[in-house]
Amino acid sequence: MSTAQAARDLDVHETVSSRWVEQAAADPQHAFPGQGQMKPEQVEIDRLRKEVARLKAERDILKKAAAYFARDAI
C-alpha cells in the first residue's frame, strides 16, 4: 500500500503519513513507544526541565534571602 493510499484511508494529510514512515525507518525500536513509554531522549529532556525548574526556584529563594539580609545590614 502506498503512503498516499494509507493517508487517504486514515484521513490524514500525505505528508503526515510520510513523516510517520520516515520516523519509523530512522528509529524502528522507538518509533511508536506507546503505553506511556517515552524515547530515552525525551526522558532526559523531561528530567532536565524538572532540574532547571528546581534550580530556578532555589536561585529565587537565595536572591530573596540575600536582599533580606542586605537590608538588615544597612
Side-chain angles (χ1 to χ4, degrees):
M1 177 183 291
S2 69
T3 55
Q5 180 61 43
R8 283 190 293 273
D9 291 347
L10 294 171
D11 196 30
V12 296
H13 197 273
E14 188 175 339
T15 57
V16 174
S17 64
S18 297
R19 191 173 339 121
W20 290 343
V21 170
E22 289 171 9
Q23 289 172 349
D27 190 5
Q29 186 176 3
H30 296 106
F32 303 102
Q35 298 179 0
Q37 300 292 326
M38 291 190 287
K39 290 184 179 184
E41 299 86 21
Q42 190 61 42
V43 171
E44 179 70 5
I45 289 170
D46 288 347
R47 185 189 69 75
L48 291 172
R49 283 185 178 150
K50 289 176 184 175
E51 185 177 349
V52 167
R54 182 182 58 80
L55 291 172
K56 283 181 178 181
E58 289 177 4
R59 177 202 62 197
D60 292 343
I61 289 170
L62 290 173
K63 278 184 180 180
K64 290 177 183 178
Y68 176 78
F69 288 117
R71 185 182 56 208
D72 288 345
I74 296 177

